[in-house]
Amino acid sequence: EKNAYNGPPEDRRECVLVASKHLRSGDWEACWALLESALLGPALTAAVAPASAIPWLSTLRCKVQVASLKAYLASFSSLYSCFELSRIATMFNLDERTTRSTVNRMLLDGLLAASWDESSKLVVVHDGPGALSNMACRLADLNAMVAKNSEGRLRSRPASNPKVTANGSSGCPAERAGKSGRNSS
């Protein structure tokens, strides 16, 4: 995350990398400006008509806005007690229908611990573990179960070694030499 040089991106690859950082923080406008310049080039960005004139460009812009909304809600939901639908729609320049659909999808997928307050059009954030915490708890439970099963199998297994001879020594020549050396002294 820390760069020695914090200037503007110099090539398309750097534009996309910096755009992804803006996307993760919910800054869709900066992300879109960088992606647009990476896709069209700086000379064409100013000369080309707005994004609405090119169909695939406007589709990409909408997807960036929705992805930025998701990243924002996932990252910053723990800091808020609620989100107002119209406010987050305005923040990401989306209509309320798209915003509601995106939030509903996040709620159904378990990415956002919240619920709707239909009367006031609020997304009420719940305190408690999020999706990542739940996944970590499930992983810890699975690890404990595997450890318990392994211990049970080790206890139920007979402690016999097939290479141990009748006199209790193994067939290892080094062990036989060590025992014979002890017996002779």
Side-chain angles (χ1 to χ4, degrees):
E1 295 291 331
K2 291 186 178 181
N3 293 333
Y5 176 71
N6 289 328
E10 296 176 359
D11 58 1
R12 288 182 178 189
R13 181 180 176 276
E14 287 182 9
C15 281
V16 172
L17 290 174
V18 173
S20 70
K21 289 180 184 178
H22 287 292
L23 182 73
R24 281 186 278 159
S25 67
D27 187 4
W28 76 270
E29 292 164 326
C31 174
W32 176 246
L34 287 165
L35 286 177
E36 191 175 32
S37 68
L39 291 170
L40 300 176
L44 289 176
T45 303
V48 173
S52 59
I54 304 172
W56 64 267
L57 206 55
S58 61
T59 302
L60 182 61
R61 179 182 173 161
C62 183
K63 289 190 180 287
V64 166
Q65 290 169 307
V66 169
S68 187
L69 170 64
K70 287 180 178 181
Y72 181 81
L73 290 175
S75 298
F76 300 112
S77 64
S78 62
L79 302 176
Y80 294 96
S81 59
C82 63
F83 293 99
E84 186 179 0
L85 178 65
S86 61
R87 181 165 171 88
I88 55 177
T90 303
M91 283 174 60
F92 294 95
N93 200 19
L94 293 167
D95 59 344
E96 287 191 15
R97 181 178 178 199
T98 304
T99 305
R100 178 181 288 278
S101 172
T102 303
V103 171
N104 282 339
R105 176 55 48 199
M106 289 181 72
L107 292 172
L108 289 174
D109 291 342
L111 299 174
L112 185 63
S115 61
W116 280 108
D117 180 7
E118 293 294 330
S119 62
S120 58
K121 293 186 178 181
L122 291 176
V123 180
V124 180
V125 179
H126 302 296
D127 290 335
L132 186 60
S133 298
N134 288 336
M135 202 179 323
C137 288
R138 282 188 300 210
L139 182 61
D141 290 342
L142 285 173
N143 282 337
M145 187 172 54
V146 167
K148 185 177 179 181
N149 287 341
S150 296
E151 287 175 4
R153 286 184 180 157
L154 287 175
R155 286 184 187 144
S156 66
R157 181 183 293 172
S160 64
N161 186 351
K163 293 187 178 183
V164 175
T165 60
N167 63 2
S169 66
S170 69
C172 178
E175 186 179 312
R176 282 192 305 249
K179 283 187 178 183
S180 62
R182 277 188 237 137
N183 291 340
S184 62
S185 45

